[in-house]
Amino acid sequence: RGFRHQYMPDKITRGNLFLMAESKSYHEQTQINQTLRLREVLKTLPPFARDYFRAMEPKSSAKTRINYAYDIRVFFHFLMEANPNYKNHTISQFDVSDLEKLEPVDIEEYMEYLKVYRHEDELITNSEKGLSRKMSALRSFYSYYFKHQIITKNPTLLVDMPKLHDKAIIRLDAD
């Protein structure tokens, strides 16, 4: 018959994620999807990173956490690709103590790397804004472990953040 019971869930798919929606608002459904997406991204980070994302949950949106997770993942990929000490590492082999082994020069090299790098045969470039966000994510990540006295040094504090230049104002003519 065309009747659908109000408790009968609809199947919703997003990428590899399948979830059941039970009369959720758009906002609630978006939150659920983003939370599930974050869980998938966290599987691609070192195990200790989960603590950071759990702690930042009450202070940030799911979208921010997803973006920060992607940004932190780029950092660990940079270390595996460009830092001789981590050439043979896998992402799961990183330990929180590895954060302490890095010097400000490593963070500066990462900033340089972010300007242009390859990811899965795609050339990625970052504007000043993108570079700034990735560095903010890394600073926040380090700051969490430093504040909780899990690490004793924070090299991100010794590196200047990229300068953001104001965009030129484009005025429209009346005609």
Side-chain angles (χ1 to χ4, degrees):
R1 295 183 195 174
F3 177 77
R4 189 171 183 85
H5 191 272
Q6 75 180 60
Y7 296 109
M8 179 120 175
D10 296 320
K11 190 183 242 186
I12 296 176
T13 62
R14 174 146 176 93
N16 295 340
L17 303 175
F18 294 90
L19 55 122
M20 305 305 275
E22 297 175 6
S23 304
K24 302 281 187 213
S25 71
Y26 173 80
H27 179 72
E28 290 169 327
Q29 193 60 52
T30 300
Q31 281 293 113
I32 291 167
N33 291 347
Q34 288 176 341
T35 299
L36 293 173
R37 195 159 130 220
L38 177 62
R39 287 179 188 162
E40 291 301 310
V41 178
L42 288 178
K43 291 176 186 174
T44 68
L45 289 173
F48 71 88
R50 289 177 182 269
D51 297 336
Y52 165 71
F53 287 97
R54 194 176 311 109
M56 76 180 289
E57 193 264 334
K59 301 178 287 195
S60 61
S61 72
K63 191 167 179 74
T64 296
R65 291 190 304 279
I66 290 168
N67 288 332
Y68 271 35
Y70 284 133
D71 295 344
I72 300 299
R73 186 172 66 185
V74 169
F75 175 68
F76 285 106
H77 281 262
F78 156 76
L79 291 176
M80 293 185 297
E81 184 182 312
N83 189 309
N85 296 328
Y86 300 103
K87 276 277 193 220
N88 298 318
H89 259 58
T90 62
I91 200 88
S92 61
Q93 290 176 307
F94 280 97
D95 186 69
V96 72
S97 63
D98 290 312
L99 297 177
E100 284 193 295
K101 295 174 185 169
L102 299 175
E103 299 292 330
V105 69
D106 296 307
I107 306 303
E108 290 168 346
E109 287 173 356
Y110 173 59
M111 275 185 17
E112 179 62 33
Y113 170 85
L114 286 175
K115 291 178 182 172
V116 180
Y117 64 95
R118 277 200 182 280
H119 177 68
E120 297 176 0
D121 294 329
E122 185 181 348
L123 198 62
I124 309 287
T125 60
N126 281 289
S127 64
E128 289 175 342
K129 195 173 179 179
L131 190 63
S132 184
R133 190 193 79 200
K134 284 175 176 55
M135 290 306 297
S136 290
L138 186 61
R139 268 197 172 174
S140 175
F141 188 67
Y142 259 93
S143 180
Y144 168 79
Y145 295 103
F146 186 72
K147 282 180 184 173
H148 288 82
Q149 299 177 344
I150 297 167
I151 59 174
T152 57
K153 67 180 200 173
N154 183 349
T156 63
L157 295 176
L158 303 173
V159 175
D160 292 332
M161 288 290 279
K163 180 162 176 55
L164 288 175
H165 294 92
D166 293 332
K167 285 186 177 179
I169 297 172
I170 300 171
R171 301 197 193 291
L172 300 176
D173 292 334
D175 33 273

